[in-house]
Amino acid sequence: MSPDRLTVTMQRGVIVALGAAIVAVACAGTADAYWSSTGHGSATAATGTTTLTASITPVSGLYPGAVVPVSVALKNTSSAAGLTVTSLTQSGSTTIQTAGKGSCSPTVVSFVAGMLPSGTISANQTVTASGSVTMTTAAADGCQGATFAIPLIANGHTP
């Protein structure tokens, strides 16, 4: 190889090596910036309160093994937002409001949801849902004539 040609080949090699080094340093800097950088920005979110109340109509005619249909009033107490009901469940223990003819355990009475209202309940609107109240066959004779309070919870979301 002639000396001139050797010089050109060496210059190309140096240029290629220098270019590769520059690319490697740039990539390393970019990777470091990607993994160690912190971001800045701002966001806002609005919150509000929407309330859905559920109340059950008085139940009569309970006896051991009975299943009594009931109507549940669901009220959207929000003044601004509509709500869609997703579930209706008993939210705590049944209590005895008025005593029967002896001792009675309130655990023998429970609520089962039926059909939920379809669509959206508008602000300040009340609709009805169905359900049933059951008394187990294990109910004592003292439950005769007792009145039970069943706490309910209705869950939903804004459309």
Side-chain angles (χ1 to χ4, degrees):
M1 189 178 286
S2 70
D4 287 338
R5 189 163 212 181
L6 180 59
T7 305
V8 169
T9 303
M10 286 176 55
Q11 286 176 347
R12 279 190 194 154
V14 169
I15 291 172
V16 168
L18 186 58
I22 290 171
V23 169
V25 168
C27 288
T30 302
D32 181 57
Y34 177 78
W35 292 107
S36 64
S37 67
T38 58
H40 299 286
S42 63
T44 59
T47 61
T49 301
T50 54
T51 305
L52 189 60
T53 62
S55 56
I56 194 168
T57 55
V59 180
S60 60
L62 285 173
Y63 55 89
V67 178
V68 177
V70 293
S71 189
V72 179
L74 297 168
K75 182 174 184 176
N76 177 359
T77 60
S78 169
S79 61
L83 295 171
T84 301
V85 179
T86 57
S87 67
L88 178 62
T89 57
Q90 185 168 337
S91 67
S93 300
T94 301
T95 58
I96 297 175
Q97 279 188 321
T98 57
K101 299 183 185 238
S103 66
C104 177
S105 170
T107 61
V108 298
V109 176
S110 61
F111 171 80
V112 177
M115 293 293 295
L116 297 176
S118 61
T120 301
I121 303 173
S122 300
N124 294 315
Q125 181 184 10
T126 300
V127 298
T128 58
S130 66
S132 59
V133 172
T134 62
M135 180 178 276
T136 69
T137 55
D141 288 341
C143 293
Q144 291 181 37
T147 304
F148 300 91
I150 304 172
L152 302 178
I153 187 166
N155 294 300
H157 60 82
T158 55

PDB file of all heavy atoms in Angstrom, residues 18-56:
ATOM      1  N   LEU A  18     -13.902   8.218  15.626  1.00  0.00           N
ATOM      2  CA  LEU A  18     -14.344   9.452  16.274  1.00  0.00           C
ATOM      3  C   LEU A  18     -15.855   9.600  16.164  1.00  0.00           C
ATOM      4  O   LEU A  18     -16.526   9.951  17.136  1.00  0.00           O
ATOM      5  CB  LEU A  18     -13.622  10.659  15.645  1.00  0.00           C
ATOM      6  CG  LEU A  18     -13.858  12.010  16.302  1.00  0.00           C
ATOM      7  CD1 LEU A  18     -13.447  11.983  17.760  1.00  0.00           C
ATOM      8  CD2 LEU A  18     -13.105  13.097  15.556  1.00  0.00           C
ATOM      9  N   GLY A  19     -16.407   9.305  15.008  1.00  0.00           N
ATOM     10  CA  GLY A  19     -17.864   9.370  14.818  1.00  0.00           C
ATOM     11  C   GLY A  19     -18.583   8.387  15.735  1.00  0.00           C
ATOM     12  O   GLY A  19     -19.609   8.705  16.340  1.00  0.00           O
ATOM     13  N   ALA A  20     -18.039   7.156  15.854  1.00  0.00           N
ATOM     14  CA  ALA A  20     -18.651   6.151  16.726  1.00  0.00           C
ATOM     15  C   ALA A  20     -18.603   6.600  18.178  1.00  0.00           C
ATOM     16  O   ALA A  20     -19.553   6.406  18.947  1.00  0.00           O
ATOM     17  CB  ALA A  20     -17.955   4.805  16.553  1.00  0.00           C
ATOM     18  N   ALA A  21     -17.493   7.229  18.574  1.00  0.00           N
ATOM     19  CA  ALA A  21     -17.378   7.723  19.945  1.00  0.00           C
ATOM     20  C   ALA A  21     -18.389   8.822  20.220  1.00  0.00           C
ATOM     21  O   ALA A  21     -19.021   8.871  21.280  1.00  0.00           O
ATOM     22  CB  ALA A  21     -15.956   8.225  20.213  1.00  0.00           C
ATOM     23  N   ILE A  22     -18.559   9.730  19.259  1.00  0.00           N
ATOM     24  CA  ILE A  22     -19.531  10.823  19.418  1.00  0.00           C
ATOM     25  C   ILE A  22     -20.943  10.249  19.544  1.00  0.00           C
ATOM     26  O   ILE A  22     -21.724  10.656  20.401  1.00  0.00           O
ATOM     27  CB  ILE A  22     -19.422  11.823  18.241  1.00  0.00           C
ATOM     28  CG1 ILE A  22     -18.100  12.591  18.351  1.00  0.00           C
ATOM     29  CG2 ILE A  22     -20.607  12.768  18.215  1.00  0.00           C
ATOM     30  CD1 ILE A  22     -17.776  13.437  17.136  1.00  0.00           C
ATOM     31  N   VAL A  23     -21.280   9.271  18.700  1.00  0.00           N
ATOM     32  CA  VAL A  23     -22.608   8.651  18.759  1.00  0.00           C
ATOM     33  C   VAL A  23     -22.802   7.942  20.105  1.00  0.00           C
ATOM     34  O   VAL A  23     -23.853   8.049  20.733  1.00  0.00           O
ATOM     35  CB  VAL A  23     -22.801   7.675  17.576  1.00  0.00           C
ATOM     36  CG1 VAL A  23     -24.043   6.817  17.764  1.00  0.00           C
ATOM     37  CG2 VAL A  23     -22.886   8.438  16.263  1.00  0.00           C
ATOM     38  N   ALA A  24     -21.793   7.235  20.593  1.00  0.00           N
ATOM     39  CA  ALA A  24     -21.909   6.529  21.871  1.00  0.00           C
ATOM     40  C   ALA A  24     -22.114   7.502  23.018  1.00  0.00           C
ATOM     41  O   ALA A  24     -22.951   7.269  23.905  1.00  0.00           O
ATOM     42  CB  ALA A  24     -20.656   5.691  22.116  1.00  0.00           C
ATOM     43  N   VAL A  25     -21.375   8.610  23.029  1.00  0.00           N
ATOM     44  CA  VAL A  25     -21.543   9.601  24.094  1.00  0.00           C
ATOM     45  C   VAL A  25     -22.925  10.237  24.019  1.00  0.00           C
ATOM     46  O   VAL A  25     -23.597  10.422  25.033  1.00  0.00           O
ATOM     47  CB  VAL A  25     -20.421  10.683  24.010  1.00  0.00           C
ATOM     48  CG1 VAL A  25     -20.736  11.859  24.908  1.00  0.00           C
ATOM     49  CG2 VAL A  25     -19.088  10.068  24.371  1.00  0.00           C
ATOM     50  N   ALA A  26     -23.399  10.525  22.818  1.00  0.00           N
ATOM     51  CA  ALA A  26     -24.731  11.125  22.666  1.00  0.00           C
ATOM     52  C   ALA A  26     -25.815  10.168  23.147  1.00  0.00           C
ATOM     53  O   ALA A  26     -26.757  10.565  23.837  1.00  0.00           O
ATOM     54  CB  ALA A  26     -24.963  11.525  21.209  1.00  0.00           C
ATOM     55  N   CYS A  27     -25.673   8.886  22.798  1.00  0.00           N
ATOM     56  CA  CYS A  27     -26.681   7.905  23.240  1.00  0.00           C
ATOM     57  C   CYS A  27     -26.660   7.750  24.754  1.00  0.00           C
ATOM     58  O   CYS A  27     -27.707   7.666  25.397  1.00  0.00           O
ATOM     59  CB  CYS A  27     -26.432   6.563  22.566  1.00  0.00           C
ATOM     60  SG  CYS A  27     -26.853   6.560  20.811  1.00  0.00           S
ATOM     61  N   ALA A  28     -25.474   7.706  25.322  1.00  0.00           N
ATOM     62  CA  ALA A  28     -25.382   7.577  26.777  1.00  0.00           C
ATOM     63  C   ALA A  28     -25.993   8.786  27.463  1.00  0.00           C
ATOM     64  O   ALA A  28     -26.709   8.658  28.463  1.00  0.00           O
ATOM     65  CB  ALA A  28     -23.934   7.404  27.208  1.00  0.00           C
ATOM     66  N   GLY A  29     -25.764   9.956  26.956  1.00  0.00           N
ATOM     67  CA  GLY A  29     -26.351  11.170  27.533  1.00  0.00           C
ATOM     68  C   GLY A  29     -27.858  11.167  27.414  1.00  0.00           C
ATOM     69  O   GLY A  29     -28.580  11.536  28.341  1.00  0.00           O
ATOM     70  N   THR A  30     -28.349  10.708  26.275  1.00  0.00           N
ATOM     71  CA  THR A  30     -29.799  10.633  26.087  1.00  0.00           C
ATOM     72  C   THR A  30     -30.407   9.614  27.040  1.00  0.00           C
ATOM     73  O   THR A  30     -31.439   9.866  27.658  1.00  0.00           O
ATOM     74  CB  THR A  30     -30.132  10.259  24.626  1.00  0.00           C
ATOM     75  OG1 THR A  30     -29.550  11.238  23.768  1.00  0.00           O
ATOM     76  CG2 THR A  30     -31.620  10.183  24.395  1.00  0.00           C
ATOM     77  N   ALA A  31     -29.779   8.461  27.176  1.00  0.00           N
ATOM     78  CA  ALA A  31     -30.289   7.435  28.087  1.00  0.00           C
ATOM     79  C   ALA A  31     -30.287   7.935  29.517  1.00  0.00           C
ATOM     80  O   ALA A  31     -31.247   7.734  30.261  1.00  0.00           O
ATOM     81  CB  ALA A  31     -29.461   6.160  27.964  1.00  0.00           C
ATOM     82  N   ASP A  32     -29.193   8.595  29.911  1.00  0.00           N
ATOM     83  CA  ASP A  32     -29.130   9.137  31.261  1.00  0.00           C
ATOM     84  C   ASP A  32     -30.222  10.169  31.488  1.00  0.00           C
ATOM     85  O   ASP A  32     -30.888  10.176  32.512  1.00  0.00           O
ATOM     86  CB  ASP A  32     -27.751   9.762  31.525  1.00  0.00           C
ATOM     87  CG  ASP A  32     -27.659  10.303  32.941  1.00  0.00           C
ATOM     88  OD1 ASP A  32     -27.866   9.516  33.885  1.00  0.00           O
ATOM     89  OD2 ASP A  32     -27.410  11.516  33.095  1.00  0.00           O
ATOM     90  N   ALA A  33     -30.433  11.027  30.506  1.00  0.00           N
ATOM     91  CA  ALA A  33     -31.478  12.045  30.634  1.00  0.00           C
ATOM     92  C   ALA A  33     -32.858  11.393  30.698  1.00  0.00           C
ATOM     93  O   ALA A  33     -33.728  11.823  31.445  1.00  0.00           O
ATOM     94  CB  ALA A  33     -31.409  13.025  29.466  1.00  0.00           C
ATOM     95  N   TYR A  34     -33.075  10.329  29.936  1.00  0.00           N
ATOM     96  CA  TYR A  34     -34.371   9.656  29.930  1.00  0.00           C
ATOM     97  C   TYR A  34     -34.673   9.020  31.283  1.00  0.00           C
ATOM     98  O   TYR A  34     -35.760   9.147  31.814  1.00  0.00           O
ATOM     99  CB  TYR A  34     -34.393   8.586  28.839  1.00  0.00           C
ATOM    100  CG  TYR A  34     -35.673   7.794  28.807  1.00  0.00           C
ATOM    101  CD1 TYR A  34     -36.820   8.323  28.233  1.00  0.00           C
ATOM    102  CD2 TYR A  34     -35.749   6.526  29.369  1.00  0.00           C
ATOM    103  CE1 TYR A  34     -38.002   7.608  28.208  1.00  0.00           C
ATOM    104  CE2 TYR A  34     -36.920   5.811  29.350  1.00  0.00           C
ATOM    105  CZ  TYR A  34     -38.049   6.359  28.767  1.00  0.00           C
ATOM    106  OH  TYR A  34     -39.214   5.652  28.757  1.00  0.00           O
ATOM    107  N   TRP A  35     -33.697   8.341  31.871  1.00  0.00           N
ATOM    108  CA  TRP A  35     -33.930   7.619  33.099  1.00  0.00           C
ATOM    109  C   TRP A  35     -33.830   8.458  34.346  1.00  0.00           C
ATOM    110  O   TRP A  35     -34.374   8.113  35.375  1.00  0.00           O
ATOM    111  CB  TRP A  35     -32.981   6.425  33.213  1.00  0.00           C
ATOM    112  CG  TRP A  35     -33.287   5.387  32.202  1.00  0.00           C
ATOM    113  CD1 TRP A  35     -32.563   5.096  31.104  1.00  0.00           C
ATOM    114  CD2 TRP A  35     -34.424   4.528  32.166  1.00  0.00           C
ATOM    115  NE1 TRP A  35     -33.172   4.107  30.373  1.00  0.00           N
ATOM    116  CE2 TRP A  35     -34.317   3.734  31.006  1.00  0.00           C
ATOM    117  CE3 TRP A  35     -35.519   4.343  32.991  1.00  0.00           C
ATOM    118  CZ2 TRP A  35     -35.258   2.784  30.667  1.00  0.00           C
ATOM    119  CZ3 TRP A  35     -36.461   3.393  32.647  1.00  0.00           C
ATOM    120  CH2 TRP A  35     -36.330   2.634  31.507  1.00  0.00           C
ATOM    121  N   SER A  36     -33.107   9.568  34.301  1.00  0.00           N
ATOM    122  CA  SER A  36     -32.926  10.331  35.521  1.00  0.00           C
ATOM    123  C   SER A  36     -33.619  11.677  35.514  1.00  0.00           C
ATOM    124  O   SER A  36     -33.503  12.432  36.449  1.00  0.00           O
ATOM    125  CB  SER A  36     -31.423  10.534  35.788  1.00  0.00           C
ATOM    126  OG  SER A  36     -30.849  11.318  34.764  1.00  0.00           O
ATOM    127  N   SER A  37     -34.328  11.996  34.455  1.00  0.00           N
ATOM    128  CA  SER A  37     -34.958  13.313  34.404  1.00  0.00           C
ATOM    129  C   SER A  37     -36.223  13.340  35.255  1.00  0.00           C
ATOM    130  O   SER A  37     -36.818  12.314  35.537  1.00  0.00           O
ATOM    131  CB  SER A  37     -35.284  13.687  32.965  1.00  0.00           C
ATOM    132  OG  SER A  37     -36.291  12.842  32.465  1.00  0.00           O
ATOM    133  N   THR A  38     -36.599  14.528  35.681  1.00  0.00           N
ATOM    134  CA  THR A  38     -37.844  14.706  36.406  1.00  0.00           C
ATOM    135  C   THR A  38     -38.758  15.563  35.550  1.00  0.00           C
ATOM    136  O   THR A  38     -38.304  16.354  34.730  1.00  0.00           O
ATOM    137  CB  THR A  38     -37.613  15.403  37.758  1.00  0.00           C
ATOM    138  OG1 THR A  38     -36.992  16.662  37.520  1.00  0.00           O
ATOM    139  CG2 THR A  38     -36.724  14.556  38.653  1.00  0.00           C
ATOM    140  N   GLY A  39     -40.039  15.381  35.736  1.00  0.00           N
ATOM    141  CA  GLY A  39     -40.992  16.138  34.933  1.00  0.00           C
ATOM    142  C   GLY A  39     -41.657  17.222  35.752  1.00  0.00           C
ATOM    143  O   GLY A  39     -41.646  17.204  36.977  1.00  0.00           O
ATOM    144  N   HIS A  40     -42.193  18.172  35.066  1.00  0.00           N
ATOM    145  CA  HIS A  40     -42.917  19.264  35.697  1.00  0.00           C
ATOM    146  C   HIS A  40     -44.230  19.450  34.958  1.00  0.00           C
ATOM    147  O   HIS A  40     -44.331  19.181  33.776  1.00  0.00           O
ATOM    148  CB  HIS A  40     -42.107  20.565  35.646  1.00  0.00           C
ATOM    149  CG  HIS A  40     -40.801  20.471  36.352  1.00  0.00           C
ATOM    150  ND1 HIS A  40     -40.693  20.462  37.715  1.00  0.00           N
ATOM    151  CD2 HIS A  40     -39.536  20.346  35.883  1.00  0.00           C
ATOM    152  CE1 HIS A  40     -39.425  20.346  38.052  1.00  0.00           C
ATOM    153  NE2 HIS A  40     -38.697  20.272  36.945  1.00  0.00           N
ATOM    154  N   GLY A  41     -45.235  19.915  35.658  1.00  0.00           N
ATOM    155  CA  GLY A  41     -46.516  20.174  35.029  1.00  0.00           C
ATOM    156  C   GLY A  41     -47.547  20.482  36.088  1.00  0.00           C
ATOM    157  O   GLY A  41     -47.245  20.550  37.273  1.00  0.00           O
ATOM    158  N   SER A  42     -48.745  20.684  35.643  1.00  0.00           N
ATOM    159  CA  SER A  42     -49.819  20.935  36.586  1.00  0.00           C
ATOM    160  C   SER A  42     -51.094  20.305  36.048  1.00  0.00           C
ATOM    161  O   SER A  42     -51.229  20.070  34.857  1.00  0.00           O
ATOM    162  CB  SER A  42     -50.024  22.440  36.794  1.00  0.00           C
ATOM    163  OG  SER A  42     -50.422  23.030  35.586  1.00  0.00           O
ATOM    164  N   ALA A  43     -52.005  20.018  36.966  1.00  0.00           N
ATOM    165  CA  ALA A  43     -53.299  19.449  36.598  1.00  0.00           C
ATOM    166  C   ALA A  43     -54.317  19.889  37.626  1.00  0.00           C
ATOM    167  O   ALA A  43     -53.968  20.244  38.749  1.00  0.00           O
ATOM    168  CB  ALA A  43     -53.217  17.926  36.555  1.00  0.00           C
ATOM    169  N   THR A  44     -55.544  19.875  37.222  1.00  0.00           N
ATOM    170  CA  THR A  44     -56.614  20.195  38.161  1.00  0.00           C
ATOM    171  C   THR A  44     -57.673  19.112  38.063  1.00  0.00           C
ATOM    172  O   THR A  44     -57.812  18.449  37.044  1.00  0.00           O
ATOM    173  CB  THR A  44     -57.265  21.564  37.846  1.00  0.00           C
ATOM    174  OG1 THR A  44     -57.793  21.511  36.513  1.00  0.00           O
ATOM    175  CG2 THR A  44     -56.250  22.678  37.941  1.00  0.00           C
ATOM    176  N   ALA A  45     -58.400  18.934  39.145  1.00  0.00           N
ATOM    177  CA  ALA A  45     -59.503  17.989  39.173  1.00  0.00           C
ATOM    178  C   ALA A  45     -60.611  18.600  40.012  1.00  0.00           C
ATOM    179  O   ALA A  45     -60.354  19.269  41.004  1.00  0.00           O
ATOM    180  CB  ALA A  45     -59.060  16.661  39.775  1.00  0.00           C
ATOM    181  N   ALA A  46     -61.811  18.369  39.572  1.00  0.00           N
ATOM    182  CA  ALA A  46     -62.949  18.880  40.328  1.00  0.00           C
ATOM    183  C   ALA A  46     -63.559  17.738  41.110  1.00  0.00           C
ATOM    184  O   ALA A  46     -63.645  16.614  40.633  1.00  0.00           O
ATOM    185  CB  ALA A  46     -63.978  19.473  39.379  1.00  0.00           C
ATOM    186  N   THR A  47     -63.947  18.004  42.321  1.00  0.00           N
ATOM    187  CA  THR A  47     -64.628  16.992  43.119  1.00  0.00           C
ATOM    188  C   THR A  47     -65.961  17.551  43.574  1.00  0.00           C
ATOM    189  O   THR A  47     -66.155  18.750  43.677  1.00  0.00           O
ATOM    190  CB  THR A  47     -63.812  16.592  44.364  1.00  0.00           C
ATOM    191  OG1 THR A  47     -63.630  17.739  45.180  1.00  0.00           O
ATOM    192  CG2 THR A  47     -62.474  16.009  43.968  1.00  0.00           C
ATOM    193  N   GLY A  48     -66.852  16.672  43.829  1.00  0.00           N
ATOM    194  CA  GLY A  48     -68.158  17.084  44.308  1.00  0.00           C
ATOM    195  C   GLY A  48     -68.785  15.919  45.044  1.00  0.00           C
ATOM    196  O   GLY A  48     -68.276  14.811  45.035  1.00  0.00           O
ATOM    197  N   THR A  49     -69.877  16.169  45.663  1.00  0.00           N
ATOM    198  CA  THR A  49     -70.546  15.125  46.413  1.00  0.00           C
ATOM    199  C   THR A  49     -71.906  14.859  45.792  1.00  0.00           C
ATOM    200  O   THR A  49     -72.671  15.784  45.562  1.00  0.00           O
ATOM    201  CB  THR A  49     -70.724  15.554  47.879  1.00  0.00           C
ATOM    202  OG1 THR A  49     -69.442  15.811  48.421  1.00  0.00           O
ATOM    203  CG2 THR A  49     -71.408  14.476  48.673  1.00  0.00           C
ATOM    204  N   THR A  50     -72.129  13.622  45.482  1.00  0.00           N
ATOM    205  CA  THR A  50     -73.451  13.199  45.045  1.00  0.00           C
ATOM    206  C   THR A  50     -73.878  12.100  45.994  1.00  0.00           C
ATOM    207  O   THR A  50     -73.096  11.234  46.343  1.00  0.00           O
ATOM    208  CB  THR A  50     -73.442  12.681  43.603  1.00  0.00           C
ATOM    209  OG1 THR A  50     -72.471  11.664  43.489  1.00  0.00           O
ATOM    210  CG2 THR A  50     -73.137  13.787  42.619  1.00  0.00           C
ATOM    211  N   THR A  51     -75.095  12.159  46.426  1.00  0.00           N
ATOM    212  CA  THR A  51     -75.572  11.205  47.416  1.00  0.00           C
ATOM    213  C   THR A  51     -76.800  10.490  46.892  1.00  0.00           C
ATOM    214  O   THR A  51     -77.692  11.103  46.321  1.00  0.00           O
ATOM    215  CB  THR A  51     -75.926  11.938  48.730  1.00  0.00           C
ATOM    216  OG1 THR A  51     -74.796  12.680  49.149  1.00  0.00           O
ATOM    217  CG2 THR A  51     -76.291  10.945  49.796  1.00  0.00           C
ATOM    218  N   LEU A  52     -76.827   9.213  47.128  1.00  0.00           N
ATOM    219  CA  LEU A  52     -77.947   8.380  46.741  1.00  0.00           C
ATOM    220  C   LEU A  52     -78.452   7.725  48.012  1.00  0.00           C
ATOM    221  O   LEU A  52     -77.715   7.000  48.677  1.00  0.00           O
ATOM    222  CB  LEU A  52     -77.459   7.329  45.747  1.00  0.00           C
ATOM    223  CG  LEU A  52     -78.465   6.469  45.029  1.00  0.00           C
ATOM    224  CD1 LEU A  52     -79.419   7.329  44.203  1.00  0.00           C
ATOM    225  CD2 LEU A  52     -77.746   5.500  44.118  1.00  0.00           C
ATOM    226  N   THR A  53     -79.672   8.022  48.417  1.00  0.00           N
ATOM    227  CA  THR A  53     -80.225   7.413  49.629  1.00  0.00           C
ATOM    228  C   THR A  53     -81.179   6.290  49.252  1.00  0.00           C
ATOM    229  O   THR A  53     -81.822   6.329  48.202  1.00  0.00           O
ATOM    230  CB  THR A  53     -80.966   8.446  50.502  1.00  0.00           C
ATOM    231  OG1 THR A  53     -82.067   8.971  49.756  1.00  0.00           O
ATOM    232  CG2 THR A  53     -80.042   9.570  50.922  1.00  0.00           C
ATOM    233  N   ALA A  54     -81.261   5.306  50.106  1.00  0.00           N
ATOM    234  CA  ALA A  54     -82.152   4.169  49.885  1.00  0.00           C
ATOM    235  C   ALA A  54     -82.955   3.935  51.150  1.00  0.00           C
ATOM    236  O   ALA A  54     -82.414   3.877  52.243  1.00  0.00           O
ATOM    237  CB  ALA A  54     -81.342   2.920  49.552  1.00  0.00           C
ATOM    238  N   SER A  55     -84.266   3.849  50.999  1.00  0.00           N
ATOM    239  CA  SER A  55     -85.110   3.544  52.157  1.00  0.00           C
ATOM    240  C   SER A  55     -86.142   2.499  51.752  1.00  0.00           C
ATOM    241  O   SER A  55     -86.679   2.520  50.652  1.00  0.00           O
ATOM    242  CB  SER A  55     -85.785   4.811  52.694  1.00  0.00           C
ATOM    243  OG  SER A  55     -86.516   5.442  51.669  1.00  0.00           O
ATOM    244  N   ILE A  56     -86.376   1.606  52.663  1.00  0.00           N
ATOM    245  CA  ILE A  56     -87.275   0.485  52.406  1.00  0.00           C
ATOM    246  C   ILE A  56     -88.649   0.777  53.005  1.00  0.00           C
ATOM    247  O   ILE A  56     -88.746   1.410  54.053  1.00  0.00           O
ATOM    248  CB  ILE A  56     -86.663  -0.801  52.981  1.00  0.00           C
ATOM    249  CG1 ILE A  56     -87.365  -2.036  52.454  1.00  0.00           C
ATOM    250  CG2 ILE A  56     -86.626  -0.780  54.482  1.00  0.00           C
ATOM    251  CD1 ILE A  56     -86.609  -3.312  52.771  1.00  0.00           C
TER     252      ILE A  56
END
